[in-house]
């Protein structure tokens, strides 16, 4: 399997001299196409910082990031913006939908930004909403939807440009357990059936158990990894395994 | 920590909002200060101008005929009235009867003055050369001297009726060349009173008061003792003084706009502050703060804003007044003697600013206190669906009623003009009250029509603008106010200016007028001037021969009641004065058209003892085909002449070259010469057909006029009158423009504040757009578009309101001229979106440069 995303010797340092702080230390990572990767760690471990590097929202102090063979670290601001629009999909914890737009318009937003908002785009958006089971809400605004429905709209938005990679930052952080399960099933489905690549940041073991592979971060370093790709373990077994790893790290 | 400390912390936590609020109040106070300084400074400067123009005295008290006089006792009584500072007597020995005394009918009016400082304030005592007359000396108009080949020092004999009484007088000086002084002869009061047997008497007493405010009281005291006395309160001067040449109402408009604009800015800013701090205020409510304490916090904040804003505003106002003195002088068209600072008024401005700001804080303060904590935690803006009673019912009712009444009045009832003013005001009020709904509909309309051009950006910007509607109502109100003031003022000034220009062109039908001004009943100059004028290339002229100063001799006695002027008793019948003029119809019709009501204007008919009369003479019983008998005035009065009969061959509306001659008959020049020996020219009206030769031609004419034969001719230039009019219009337009610009500036400040606040609130949305691939310039464009939509909506509402209200004002003031102000509407349409761009530019650049990650992950 080819690596769609590669990070080499990533370092992110804040401050100067004696006040330097390493948010990331020498992180090396490869994500293959169609892989569902979860990044776990406690607060301040560097997982969100890593996500920002991988998405091009921030630049590392040193090291390189390659997305689909293109170096993000040497791209200009304009190139990064373009790359984000074309090759990366985002799913946020607080959904970040535009309140004044309908569900269909929110989903089509990336195409609108790229200047490709036409009838075809609208149809594609509605198809995605149908696929996610909320086609009937195409003309509704976010204020008229539940959290789960809004997150589904956000997922559809992340998928509309057929990105190389989807980055999800605590995608179920604002949802109840039942809705979270629905959302994670959807994400897992897109990976397994449609070969999308997802990198998800979470602190929740149950959420992380849906991933193919989990990497653990602490103090800016990658310290451990669990691979469930070809595993037959049940969800609860995975959760136990993950929890054991976390506890081991804590000790 | 007490409430006030907490309020202070809130206030300083958002420095940019605090800055905008203070700026809004400061600008409003600054405008007030500038307007107060301007009023006082212009008043002072104007006072100097008025004194130069009208003289430094307050009243004229006396009689307008020689039948009554003020005696020494009368003069003493008047001088002793409290408030009268000093006085000087004037004697007009023949006032009211001059025309009936043939010896002096054709001479200048005799008037006697005392040689004192107060008398010298009288406009008649405008001495050009020479000295004040002593004893048997006289000052005469310069034209009189030239036409009679006299000079200072010449001795002449003047009649002093009754009887053949004559006196030798010496010319001691000349009066300044002025239309009003052409018929005045100034004598020493004491000598004139002795010679005319009026010793100790005065016709008029000139009064200077201690304080012009006591004028009314003094007026009443004099009137109570002398009911028949005539009092000239110098109302024209008073009006000019009060209106500062007609400018005060417009300067007050600045004050009112400033107050209204500032009020709206502060309400808007404080409301926004509450919306932004909903969560914090709700938290305070949750932990037990009382409602009145919340209100106090907001009011405290508004007081701080008011205090700082007022102080800054006063300082700015004073500094700007000094800096702009030259500019104001140039644009207002008169010199300012020096900037005057009215400290009392400025203190009042400061206090007004603070009070207005505190009052403006009461509404948002009250609303803040009513906020249920749970509501404050909701993310959504309160919906605009729930409109108040005012917006939902009163506004549309008032709107429909005002339009309906106005149309009905115009088409059917044609009632009094005040109905238009009332319906106009009601319409304007309905628009202001209905701003929430009208703005909403206008924004939707603009978004809709711009979608084909701007695509989804217009959709997003439009919806965001609608979302911010509540915040922008006051700003739309300010913009609407600015445009209403601009349009209404422009419509009013333009209408007045056009009418005034028409009036000037009526008085001066052509560009220039050469007018005979010798003091006789039939002034005129030699025909040779006409001939010489015709030789000057590039001049198109019409000559108006000297008119016969006549009396009718066969007036229909049944029509006397239609006459408002003086009646003369001739052979037991009442007759009226009228003019008989010669006219060359061909010459006139080359440059003008004559509206013929009945009959003919054929020159041959006129030559055959025919006349054409103006329509007003018809009211006195003269019809087409009748004969009108006219005699020369002084000959008829002496019983010497039976006049001549002319047949009325035509009736016209008016003679275009003499539109103000309402009671005139026109005949051929031959008849005037044949029957009345009149062969002179009274006026030559001319245009210069080749403007490039204007200065050369004028020089030739000036040289002609310097000839002693034409010393009684004065040149009047229509252009000068028009220039004076244009200068006055320019003054008013300047004040109007200043008001509009400053009000718009207030709107820009307010909108900038609103945009900054609203973009800050939505920073995460813009961060998401950036994360999804939006370029920084796209974000800027979106934000700018939002500002443009809001300002354009406010502008459109303002234009429509301004036009409708403006036309109502014109109708209410019985204006004769209506125009559609294309340029102003176009300018306002162009300016409206620019206002939005100006207001949104800095906030949109700021939002495009925000830290993406920090904003994305903010709580």
């Amino acid at each position: 399997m080819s690596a769609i995303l590669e990070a080499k010797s990533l370092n992110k340092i804040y401050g100067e001299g004696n006040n330097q702080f390493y948010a990331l230390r020498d992180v090396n990572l490869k994500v293959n196409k169609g892989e569902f990767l979860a990044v776990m760690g406690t607060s301040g471990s560097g997982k969100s910082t890593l996500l920002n590097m991988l998405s091009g929202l921030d630049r590392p102090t040193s090291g390189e990031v390659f997305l689909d063979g293109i170096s993000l670290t040497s791209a200009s601001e304009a190139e990064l913006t373009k790359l984000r629009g074309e090759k990366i999909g985002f799913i946020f914890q607080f959904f970040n939908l535009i309140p004044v737009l309908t569900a269909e318009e929110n989903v089509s937003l990336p195409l609108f930004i790229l200047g490709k908002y036409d009838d075809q785009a609208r149809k594609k958006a509605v198809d995605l909403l149908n696929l996610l089971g909320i086609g009937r809400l195409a003309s509704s605004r976010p204020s008229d939807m539940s959290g789960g429905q809004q997150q589904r709209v956000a997922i559809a938005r992340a998928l509309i440009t057929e990105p190389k990679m989807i980055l999800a930052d605590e995608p179920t952080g604002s949802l109840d357990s039942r809705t979270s399960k629905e959302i994670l099933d959807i994400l897992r489905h897109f990976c397994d059936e449609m070969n999308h690549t997802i990198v998800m940041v979470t602190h929740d073991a149950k959420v992380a158990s849906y991933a193919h592979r989990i990497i653990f971060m602490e103090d800016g370093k990658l310290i451990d990894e669990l691979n469930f790709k070809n595993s037959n373990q049940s969800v609860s077994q995975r959760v136990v395994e993950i929890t054991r790893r976390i506890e081991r790290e804590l000790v | 920590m007490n409430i006030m400390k907490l309020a202070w912390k809130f206030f300083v936590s958002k420095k940019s909002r605090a800055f905008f609020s203070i700026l809004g109040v400061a600008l409003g106070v600054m405008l007030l200060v500038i307007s107060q300084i301007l009023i006082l400074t212009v008043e002072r400067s104007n006072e100097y101008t008025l004194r130069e123009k009208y003289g430094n005295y307050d009243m004229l008290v006396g009689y307008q005929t020689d039948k009554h006089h003020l005696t020494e006792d009368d003069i003493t009584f008047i001088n002793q009235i409290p408030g009268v500072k000093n006085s000087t007597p004037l004697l007009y020995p023949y006032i009211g009867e001059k025309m009936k005394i043939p010896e002096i009918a054709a001479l200048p009016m005799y008037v006697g003055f005392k040689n004192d400082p107060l008398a010298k304030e009288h406009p008649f005592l405008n001495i050009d050369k020479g000295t004040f007359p002593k004893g048997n000396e006289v000052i005469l108009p310069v034209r009189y001297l030239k036409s009679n080949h006299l000079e200072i020092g010449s001795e002449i004999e003047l009649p002093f009726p009754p009887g053949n009484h004559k006196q030798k007088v010496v010319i001691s000086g000349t009066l300044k060349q002025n239309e009003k002084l052409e018929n005045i002869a100034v004598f020493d009061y004491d000598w004139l009173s002795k010679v005319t047997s009026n010793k100790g008497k005065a016709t008029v007493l000139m009064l200077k008061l201690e304080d012009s405010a006591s004028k009314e009281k003094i007026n009443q005291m004099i009137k109570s003792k002398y009911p028949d006395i005539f009092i000239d309160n110098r109302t024209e001067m008073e009006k000019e003084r009060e209106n500062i040449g007609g400018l005060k109402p417009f300067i007050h408009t600045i004050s009112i706009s400033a107050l209204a604009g500032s009020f709206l800015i502060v309400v808007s800013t404080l409301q926004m502050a509450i919306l932004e701090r909903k969560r914090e205020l709700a938290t305070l409510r949750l932990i037990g703060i009382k409602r009145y304490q919340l209100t106090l916090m907001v009011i405290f904040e508004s007081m701080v804003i008011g205090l700082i804003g007022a102080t800054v505003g006063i300082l700015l106002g004073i500094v700007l007044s000094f800096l702009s003195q030259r500019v104001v002088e140039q644009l207002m068209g008169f010199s300012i003697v020096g900037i005057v600072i009215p400290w009392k008024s400025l203190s009042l401005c400061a206090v007004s600013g603070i009070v207005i700001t505190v009052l403006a804080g009461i509404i948002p303060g009250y609303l803040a206190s009513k906020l249920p904590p749970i509501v404050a935690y909701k993310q959504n803006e309160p919906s605009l669906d729930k409109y108040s009673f005012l917006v939902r019912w009163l506004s549309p009712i008032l709107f429909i009623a005002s339009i309906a009444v106005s149309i009905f009045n115009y088409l059917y009832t044609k009632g009094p003009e005040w109905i238009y003013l009332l319906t106009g005001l009601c319409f304007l009020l309905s628009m202001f009250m209905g701003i929430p709904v009208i703005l909403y509909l206008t924004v939707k309309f603009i978004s809709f029509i711009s979608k084909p051009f701007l695509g989804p950006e217009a959709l997003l910007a439009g919806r965001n603008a609608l979302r911010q509607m509540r915040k922008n109502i006051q700003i739309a109100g300010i913009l609407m106010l600015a445009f209403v003031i601009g349009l209404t003022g422009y419509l009013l000034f333009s209408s007045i200016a056009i009418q005034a220009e028409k009036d000037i062109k009526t008085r001066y039908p052509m560009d220039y007028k050469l007018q005979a001004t010798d003091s006789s009943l039939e002034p005129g100059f030699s025909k040779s001037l006409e001939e010489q004028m015709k030789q000057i290339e590039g001049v198109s002229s019409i000559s108006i021969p000297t008119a016969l100063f006549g009396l009718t001799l066969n007036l229909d006695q049944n029509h006397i009641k239609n006459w408002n002027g003086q009646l003369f008793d001739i052979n037991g019948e009442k007759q009226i004065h009228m003019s008989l003029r010669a006219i060359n119809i061909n010459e006139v019709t080359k440059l003008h058209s004559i509206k013929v009501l009945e009959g003919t204007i054929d020159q041959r008919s006129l030559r055959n003892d025919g006349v054409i009369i103006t329509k007003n003479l018809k009211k006195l019983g003269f019809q087409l085909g009748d004969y009108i008998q006219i005699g020369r005035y002084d000959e008829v009065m002496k019983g010497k002449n039976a006049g001549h009969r002319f047949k009325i061959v035509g009736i016209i509306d008016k003679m275009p070259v003499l539109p103000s001659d309402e009671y005139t008959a026109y005949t051929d020049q031959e008849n005037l010469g044949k029957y009345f020996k009149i062969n002179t020219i009274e006026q030559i009206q001319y245009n210069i057909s080749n403007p490039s030769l204007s200065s050369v031609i004028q020089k030739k004419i000036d040289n002609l006029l310097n000839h002693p034969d034409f010393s009684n001719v004065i040149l009047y230039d229509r252009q000068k009158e028009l220039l004076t009019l244009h200068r006055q219009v320019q003054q008013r337009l300047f004040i109007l423009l200043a008001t509009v610009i400053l009000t718009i500036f207030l709107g820009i400040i307010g909108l900038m504040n609103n945009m900054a606040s609203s973009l800050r609130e939505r920073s995460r949305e813009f961060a998401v757009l950036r994360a999804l691939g939006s370029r920084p310039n796209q974000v800027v464009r979106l934000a700018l578009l939002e500002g443009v939509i809001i300002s354009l909506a406010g502008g459109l509402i303002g234009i429509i309101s301004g036009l409708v209200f403006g036309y109502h004002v014109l109708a209410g003031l019985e204006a004769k001229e209506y125009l559609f102000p294309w340029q102003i509407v176009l300018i306002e349409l162009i300016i409206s979106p620019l206002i939005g761009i100006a207001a949104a530019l800095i906030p949109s650049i700021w939002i495009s440069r925000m830290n993406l990650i920090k904003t994305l992950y903010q709580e």
Side-chain angles (χ1 to χ4, degrees):
Chain A
M1 224 185 284
S2 58
I4 197 82
L5 176 71
E6 198 174 341
K8 287 181 181 173
S9 305
L10 277 184
N11 285 287
K12 181 71 181 177
I13 307 168
Y14 293 107
E16 285 172 353
N18 290 335
N19 293 325
Q20 273 184 349
F21 164 70
Y22 278 81
L24 288 179
R25 271 182 206 267
D26 197 32
V27 170
N28 291 281
L29 177 68
K30 269 188 190 172
V31 181
N32 294 319
K33 188 170 167 55
E35 188 175 10
F36 191 162
L37 176 74
V39 181
M40 281 200 78
T42 54
S43 180
S45 60
K47 56 187 190 298
S48 296
T49 309
L50 176 62
L51 203 71
N52 292 339
M53 299 297 147
L54 298 179
S55 62
L57 286 174
D58 198 1
R59 288 182 192 273
T61 311
S62 62
E64 288 202 84
V65 177
F66 292 91
L67 174 66
D68 200 23
I70 303 167
S71 167
L72 298 187
T73 36
S74 50
S76 66
E77 204 52 53
E79 284 163 349
L80 276 177
T81 304
K82 193 162 180 270
L83 272 167
R84 282 202 303 273
E86 288 172 351
K87 293 185 190 287
I88 304 175
F90 287 90
I91 304 170
F92 299 98
Q93 180 181 353
F94 295 107
F95 327 129
N96 284 342
L97 299 179
I98 308 295
V100 294
L101 298 178
T102 61
E104 176 265 303
E105 288 161 352
N106 266 292
V107 172
S108 311
L109 194 55
L111 291 177
F112 152 60
I113 291 169
L114 289 170
K116 294 174 184 172
Y117 185 57
D118 53 18
D119 289 338
Q120 210 174 347
R122 274 189 275 271
K123 186 178 177 309
K124 195 171 177 183
V126 171
D127 288 343
L128 273 168
L129 287 170
N130 280 325
L131 193 62
L132 288 159
I134 51 168
R136 73 191 185 288
L137 297 175
S139 309
S140 303
R141 295 211 179 169
S143 55
D144 300 325
M145 299 178 203
S146 68
Q149 289 167 338
Q150 288 187 59
Q151 196 61 298
R152 285 176 204 234
V153 173
I155 292 170
R157 182 178 67 187
L159 292 170
I160 196 154
T161 53
E162 292 167 28
K164 298 293 177 194
M165 178 176 68
I166 294 168
L167 297 173
D169 186 0
E170 304 274 11
T172 58
S174 303
L175 304 172
D176 59 75
S177 53
R178 187 177 157 180
T179 316
S180 296
K181 186 182 177 307
E182 288 170 5
I183 295 298
L184 289 163
D185 281 336
I186 290 168
L187 289 176
R188 182 63 188 251
H189 170 79
F190 276 122
C191 262
D192 292 342
E193 305 303 321
M194 298 161 91
N195 216 24
H196 282 290
T197 311
I198 300 177
V199 177
M200 178 178 70
V201 161
T202 185
H203 66 278
D204 189 327
K206 205 166 169 187
V207 171
S209 68
Y210 280 81
H212 293 136
R213 182 163 63 110
I214 302 163
I215 57 174
F216 296 88
M217 290 194 70
E218 190 179 273
D219 295 333
K221 284 190 283 201
L222 275 177
I223 53 168
D224 205 351
E225 187 175 303
L226 258 179
N227 199 327
F228 294 123
K229 179 77 180 171
N230 297 314
S231 167
N232 292 324
Q233 282 175 306
S234 65
V235 170
S236 48
Q237 283 171 323
R238 290 183 195 191
V239 171
V240 164
E241 182 66 41
I242 294 166
T243 310
R244 208 179 282 155
R245 286 291 175 100
I246 293 168
E247 280 170 358
R248 198 170 73 192
E249 303 315 324
L250 283 173
V251 167
Chain B
M1 185 187 299
N2 65 27
I3 286 296
M4 297 309 157
K5 269 192 185 155
L6 190 60
W8 176 254
K9 277 186 183 290
F10 271 135
F11 178 67
V12 297
S13 65
K14 291 270 159 70
K15 291 188 176 53
S16 62
R17 194 186 55 236
F19 169 75
F20 279 121
S21 313
I22 290 168
L23 186 61
V25 174
L27 280 174
V29 171
M30 182 191 84
L31 289 176
L32 266 178
V33 164
I34 289 175
S35 67
Q36 294 306 306
I37 291 176
L38 195 63
I39 287 175
L40 192 63
T41 302
V42 166
E43 259 178 352
R44 291 273 170 96
S45 303
N46 195 53
E47 194 61 29
Y48 283 114
T49 314
L50 284 179
R51 282 181 189 177
E52 279 236 352
K53 190 175 170 184
Y54 293 104
N56 187 14
Y57 62 98
D58 297 304
M59 287 168 80
L60 290 171
V61 171
Y63 296 95
Q64 289 175 306
T65 73
D66 67 347
K67 297 278 180 288
H68 303 278
H69 290 103
L70 291 166
T71 62
E72 276 177 353
D73 288 340
D74 296 334
I75 294 170
T76 308
F77 170 79
I78 291 170
N79 279 333
Q80 283 173 352
I81 294 174
V84 174
K85 195 172 172 187
N86 60 350
S87 70
T88 188
L90 276 66
L91 180 66
Y92 292 84
Y94 305 112
I95 190 169
E97 299 298 316
K98 178 176 175 286
M99 301 310 288
K100 294 180 183 168
I101 307 170
E103 296 94 316
I104 55 167
L107 288 173
M109 168 84 80
Y110 296 178
V111 56
F113 285 93
K114 275 195 185 261
N115 187 8
D116 60 42
L118 184 57
K120 283 174 183 161
E121 293 293 336
H122 198 283
F124 285 174
L125 265 189
N126 207 343
I127 301 173
D128 183 30
K129 288 187 179 128
T131 56
F132 188 87
K134 287 190 280 255
N136 68 330
E137 289 180 343
V138 67
I139 297 177
L140 290 168
V142 68
R143 296 296 178 191
Y144 184 90
L145 264 65
K146 281 192 176 163
S147 60
N148 291 288
H149 308 288
L150 299 167
E151 57 185 19
I152 295 175
S154 301
E155 195 181 70
I156 55 171
E157 213 172 52
L158 289 176
F160 290 87
N164 240 348
H165 188 208
K166 286 189 179 157
Q167 287 281 339
K168 281 195 170 63
V169 294
V170 175
I171 299 170
S172 69
T174 55
L175 295 169
K176 279 212 169 109
Q177 196 166 310
N178 185 310
E179 252 186 322
K180 290 182 183 151
L181 302 180
E182 290 303 316
N183 286 301
I184 300 295
V186 175
F187 295 89
D188 172 59
Y189 168 81
D190 291 322
W191 184 85
L192 186 65
S193 60
K194 196 174 84 181
V195 157
T196 57
S197 308
N198 284 304
K199 212 167 154 53
K201 291 181 191 166
T203 319
V204 170
L205 205 59
M206 234 171 104
L207 300 180
K208 178 80 187 127
L209 307 181
E210 302 279 3
D211 177 8
S212 57
S214 57
K215 196 179 280 192
E216 191 50 45
K217 209 172 165 190
I218 294 168
N219 214 321
Q220 280 168 7
M221 289 182 76
I222 296 173
K223 270 287 183 188
S224 62
K225 186 149 169 117
Y226 309 102
D228 294 332
I229 206 165
F230 169 77
I231 299 176
D232 177 6
N233 286 307
R234 318 210 63 211
T235 41
E236 214 182 290
M237 179 179 165
E238 280 306 314
K239 262 189 208 161
E240 261 200 57
R241 177 181 278 134
E242 288 214 352
N243 283 333
I244 318 170
L247 297 172
K248 208 160 175 174
F250 308 107
I251 295 174
H252 277 311
T253 309
I254 297 180
S255 307
I256 295 167
S257 308
L259 280 171
S262 286
F263 183 85
L264 290 170
I265 289 269
V266 175
V267 168
S268 164
T269 312
L270 289 173
Q271 270 185 345
M272 228 168 18
I274 286 155
L275 283 170
E276 280 181 358
R277 297 202 307 243
K278 259 191 319 199
R279 189 168 285 195
E280 296 154 359
L281 294 173
T283 307
L284 288 173
R285 291 275 286 121
L286 278 174
I287 60 174
I289 202 168
K290 297 189 179 51
R291 288 184 176 189
Y292 80 88
Q293 286 174 316
L294 262 185
T295 311
L296 272 176
M297 278 175 66
V298 177
I299 290 174
F300 171 79
E301 190 171 330
S302 56
M303 207 170 342
V304 170
I305 294 170
L307 271 166
I308 302 174
T311 311
V312 171
I314 288 181
L315 288 170
L316 277 175
I318 292 173
V319 168
L320 269 174
S321 300
F322 278 99
L323 290 175
S324 59
Q325 183 180 342
R326 292 280 159 253
V327 172
V328 171
E329 272 182 351
Q330 203 145 17
L331 287 162
M332 301 280 265
F334 59 74
S335 58
I336 290 176
V337 292
I339 299 290
V340 184
I341 312 282
W343 293 110
K344 259 192 206 162
S345 290
L346 295 200
S347 312
L348 202 59
C349 289
V351 169
S352 307
I354 296 167
V355 166
I356 295 272
T357 314
V358 170
L359 285 174
I362 288 176
I363 302 164
Y366 175 69
L367 290 175
S369 73
K370 283 183 76 70
L371 208 61
I374 200 70
V375 168
Y377 272 105
K378 281 191 184 167
Q379 298 249 339
N380 297 333
E381 281 282 333
S383 164
L384 270 176
D385 292 339
K386 294 180 176 43
Y387 296 128
S388 68
F389 166 76
L390 279 179
V391 172
R392 198 199 282 266
W393 295 111
L394 194 57
S395 167
I397 290 171
L398 210 53
F399 178 87
I400 294 165
S402 61
I403 298 290
V405 168
S406 191
I407 293 173
F408 191 76
N409 188 48
Y410 177 74
L411 291 174
Y412 300 107
T413 50
K414 301 202 193 292
E417 276 64 31
W418 58 261
I419 289 182
Y420 290 115
L421 284 173
L422 186 64
T423 50
L425 274 168
C426 289
F427 172 81
L428 202 60
L429 196 61
S430 73
M431 291 296 274
F432 270 107
M433 280 196 295
I435 279 180
V437 174
I438 299 168
L439 195 63
Y440 180 83
L441 293 170
T442 314
V443 165
K444 279 211 116 167
F445 170 71
I446 292 169
S447 305
F448 175 73
I449 58 168
S450 58
K451 215 170 141 188
F453 308 100
L454 301 168
E457 278 184 11
L459 176 83
L460 189 53
R463 291 204 195 154
N464 277 325
L466 285 171
R467 208 166 76 165
Q468 308 304 317
M469 216 30 43
R470 191 172 281 269
K471 283 183 185 167
N472 288 312
I473 287 169
Q474 286 89 0
I475 307 308
I478 294 174
L479 293 177
M480 188 178 149
L481 181 71
F483 284 9
V484 166
I485 292 171
L487 270 169
T488 306
Y490 184 82
L491 280 170
L492 201 57
F493 296 155
S494 305
S495 176
I496 292 170
I498 292 171
Q499 187 56 45
E501 200 167 306
K502 274 192 176 167
D503 290 343
I504 288 172
K505 286 180 178 171
T506 303
R507 281 204 319 270
Y508 302 94
M510 295 172 80
D511 293 339
Y512 301 92
K513 184 167 77 170
L514 295 172
Q515 174 81 45
T517 58
D518 49 297
S519 42
S520 72
L521 294 175
E522 293 165 2
F525 47 83
S526 160
K527 275 190 172 180
S528 70
L529 180 58
E530 180 192 15
E531 284 149 22
Q532 291 183 68
M533 285 285 293
K534 281 194 182 341
Q535 284 170 19
I536 301 175
E537 213 177 291
V539 171
S540 323
S541 64
I542 295 172
S543 300
I544 315 281
T546 301
L548 173 78
F549 191 83
L551 287 174
T552 57
L553 295 171
N554 66 336
L555 184 65
D556 182 347
Q557 298 299 294
N558 294 325
H559 283 86
I560 294 169
K561 58 182 185 299
N562 294 337
W563 178 250
N564 292 326
Q566 192 175 1
L567 289 165
F568 297 84
D569 223 307
I570 311 290
N571 298 330
E573 282 191 337
K574 302 285 181 199
Q575 305 295 341
I576 61 162
H577 157 65
M578 59 169 287
S579 299
L580 176 68
R581 287 192 176 277
I583 200 79
N584 185 325
I585 298 290
N586 286 337
E587 228 179 52
V588 173
T589 51
K590 259 188 219 163
L591 296 166
H592 304 280
S593 69
I594 303 172
K595 190 174 171 188
V596 180
L597 299 174
E598 291 175 55
T600 178
I601 55 171
D602 174 50
Q603 195 74 36
R604 228 178 330 177
S605 307
L606 297 182
R607 209 170 293 136
N608 295 333
D609 286 8
V611 288
I612 48 180
I613 61 171
T614 52
K615 66 181 179 210
N616 285 328
L617 277 172
K618 244 192 111 164
K619 291 181 198 165
L620 297 171
F622 292 108
Q623 304 293 333
L624 187 71
D626 286 353
Y627 284 86
I628 182 168
Q629 192 159 355
I630 307 170
R632 180 178 255 132
Y633 169 82
D634 48 3
E635 289 173 4
V636 169
M637 294 302 286
K638 287 175 188 168
K640 281 184 185 172
N641 197 314
H644 191 80
R645 260 165 43 115
F646 296 91
K647 185 171 180 184
I648 298 170
V649 300
I651 301 175
I652 60 171
D653 180 45
K654 60 184 176 193
M655 187 58 68
V657 291
L658 294 160
S660 51
D661 271 14
E662 295 180 335
Y663 295 93
T664 309
Y666 297 89
T667 188
D668 187 78
Q669 176 65 62
E670 260 186 35
N671 296 333
L672 270 187
K674 196 164 46 176
Y675 303 119
F676 301 102
K677 307 281 184 280
I678 293 176
N679 287 304
T680 52
I681 306 289
E682 185 189 308
Q683 261 186 49
I684 299 177
Q685 296 177 10
Y686 68 93
N687 289 338
I688 294 177
S689 43
N690 191 346
S692 60
L693 296 174
S694 179
S695 52
V696 171
I697 291 170
Q698 276 306 117
K699 208 165 175 185
K700 283 184 185 170
I701 295 173
D702 284 341
N703 286 338
L704 274 180
L705 295 183
N706 282 334
H707 195 280
D709 283 351
F710 308 125
S711 57
N712 66 333
V713 180
I714 286 188
L715 171 67
Y716 295 108
D717 185 348
R718 183 173 68 181
Q719 201 51 33
K720 271 200 192 132
E721 299 285 323
L722 289 171
L723 277 171
T724 307
L725 171 70
H726 292 147
R727 183 174 61 82
Q728 284 174 348
V729 170
Q730 190 186 5
Q731 281 175 358
R732 283 141 182 81
L733 282 176
F734 163 64
I735 292 171
L736 182 72
L737 188 65
T739 310
V740 171
I741 286 174
L742 289 165
T743 312
I744 286 176
F745 191 60
L746 275 176
I748 290 177
I749 299 292
L751 189 58
M752 199 187 296
N753 197 13
N754 283 2
M755 288 297 301
S757 163
S758 120
L759 291 179
R760 226 183 352 252
E761 259 178 34
R762 290 178 290 140
S763 53
R764 187 140 52 149
E765 281 171 39
F766 286 100
V768 167
L769 287 173
R770 291 273 288 118
L772 294 179
S774 235
R775 297 183 302 281
N777 65 345
Q778 275 180 305
V779 167
V780 170
R781 205 159 60 218
L782 259 176
L784 283 178
L785 206 48
E786 211 177 300
V788 163
I789 288 173
I790 294 164
S791 62
L792 188 55
L796 279 174
I797 298 169
I799 289 170
I800 294 166
S801 306
L803 281 172
V804 174
F805 180 64
Y807 286 128
H808 276 78
V809 167
L810 287 182
L813 298 175
E814 296 179 274
K816 295 189 180 71
E817 297 295 328
Y818 289 76
L819 64 142
F820 188 83
W822 290 106
Q823 304 102 312
I824 303 300
V825 170
L826 205 60
I827 288 170
E828 288 185 348
L829 278 173
I830 291 169
I831 285 175
S832 304
L834 293 178
I835 291 170
I837 291 172
L841 190 62
I842 295 172
S844 59
I845 290 173
W846 170 81
I847 201 86
S848 73
R849 290 185 184 170
M850 67 190 154
N851 186 309
L852 203 49
I853 295 163
K854 201 172 160 189
T855 317
L856 267 176
Y857 291 112
Q858 76 189 12
E859 287 286 320

